[in-house]
Amino acid sequence: PLERLSPLMGEAHALLPSTASLLFKGDGYIHGSISTIERYFQCPYSYFLQSGLKIRKPQIGALDARTTGDIAHSVLENAILKYGKDYTKITEEELREIIHASFLDLDKMHPHDTTLHSLSEERLFHQLQSALLFLEDFEKHTSFIPEAVERKFEEEIIEGVMLRGTIDRLDTFGNIARVIDYKSSAHTLSKDKVLAGIQLQLLTYAIIACRITERDIAGVYYFSLKQETIPTQALKKNRKE
């Protein structure tokens, strides 16, 4: 009878220290990015699968938030490298050229989506134009100067743990510095998430920037490159009006 069947008792799973060392410490260090550390705090088992067993989704170029974010980063990186603090002076032609080159690659990988790519390319162009207008005013009211863009680092944050990452933008003025992290959507810092270990990026960048610049950190900031959709109440009118 079904009610008399005993539940299946399997052997308890365990990760031995020796196995963990082979999986995570190939050269004596645990290597990872801030997102992998956040993943560990969110779900240790997910971290085990992705960083230990290396089970990951294939990275295929497609029109998604990550790709458009990379293109926007490329525009701002090229503008700062060429014009410095006057990067908002990048011409419309230069802006279109950088964006179009990336969308040509997408067309080659996904030839059936060229119409969608064309519309998205135009939308991204106008989004970046709006962002540059805001940044132009922003730069008029700050003495900070962009010192580095896409600044890669690999630092031993604690014994045995090597952290790697890329700081989107590092500005300096005198003996102080600040970090700006570009985002393709709206982001805000949450104290609860920071304390839970699942929103560590900006504060970690502050620590790393302090080390590599040997300056005090004035602040770390998100900058959203996306034009947010703002809901508004429709106006009501009666027939007489």
Side-chain angles (χ1 to χ4, degrees):
L2 292 178
E3 68 268 25
R4 294 184 186 176
L5 291 177
S6 300
L8 178 64
M9 300 297 293
E11 184 180 351
H13 291 288
L15 186 61
L16 299 176
S18 57
T19 308
S21 182
L22 289 171
L23 286 174
F24 297 103
K25 299 178 67 174
D27 60 352
Y29 291 93
I30 295 174
H31 292 266
S33 64
I34 297 170
S35 61
T36 61
I37 294 174
E38 292 174 340
R39 185 181 302 118
Y40 174 80
F41 283 111
Q42 286 180 315
C43 178
Y45 187 65
S46 173
Y47 176 80
F48 164 69
L49 291 176
Q50 295 193 41
S51 298
L53 300 184
K54 305 294 189 290
I55 299 174
R56 300 174 184 174
K57 295 179 180 179
Q59 296 294 330
I60 301 173
L63 184 61
D64 53 19
R66 178 173 179 171
T67 299
T68 53
D70 287 345
I71 297 171
H73 278 64
S74 178
V75 168
L76 292 168
E77 178 185 7
N78 279 275
I80 291 175
L81 289 175
K82 183 173 182 179
Y83 294 102
K85 188 172 174 63
D86 296 323
Y87 63 92
T88 58
K89 305 300 183 187
I90 184 173
T91 65
E92 181 177 315
E93 291 74 19
E94 290 173 314
L95 190 62
R96 285 193 179 277
E97 183 180 349
I98 297 170
I99 296 172
H100 187 60
S102 298
F103 276 91
L104 282 178
D105 290 337
L106 285 173
D107 286 343
K108 293 175 184 176
M109 290 185 283
H110 305 278
H112 299 295
D113 294 333
T114 53
T115 301
L116 176 62
H117 294 165
S118 178
L119 293 170
S120 300
E121 179 179 345
E122 193 66 18
R123 176 175 176 144
L124 180 59
F125 170 75
H126 289 295
Q127 283 182 349
L128 285 170
Q129 274 193 318
S130 296
L132 287 167
L133 281 174
F134 175 88
L135 288 169
E136 182 178 14
D137 186 64
F138 170 76
E139 293 295 347
K140 290 177 182 176
H141 299 87
T142 176
S143 297
F144 280 96
I145 297 173
E147 181 177 288
V149 287
E150 301 299 314
R151 174 63 160 83
K152 298 186 183 302
F153 65 85
E154 188 167 26
E155 296 271 336
E156 186 176 10
I157 51 169
I158 60 172
E159 186 177 354
V161 178
M162 295 293 291
L163 180 72
R164 64 175 180 271
T166 305
I167 298 174
D168 291 344
R169 175 171 160 181
L170 185 57
D171 297 350
T172 59
F173 173 69
N175 64 342
I176 55 177
R178 73 175 174 202
V179 171
I180 297 177
D181 190 52
Y182 301 128
K183 292 296 183 186
S184 54
S185 59
H187 274 66
T188 55
L189 269 178
S190 163
K191 180 181 177 181
D192 290 340
K193 289 182 179 180
V194 171
L195 293 176
I198 58 176
Q199 197 179 30
L200 302 175
Q201 186 181 41
L202 273 187
L203 301 184
T204 306
Y205 283 171
I207 296 170
I208 298 298
C210 184
R211 289 186 186 182
I212 61 182
T213 65
E214 297 182 344
R215 290 177 166 91
D216 295 328
I217 301 301
V220 283
Y221 306 90
Y222 287 129
F223 178 68
S224 174
L225 296 166
K226 182 180 180 181
Q227 288 178 314
E228 293 299 311
T229 301
I230 302 172
T232 183
Q233 179 65 45
L235 181 66
K236 294 181 179 179
K237 304 285 282 187
N238 59 40
R239 291 182 181 178
K240 291 181 179 180
E241 291 178 313

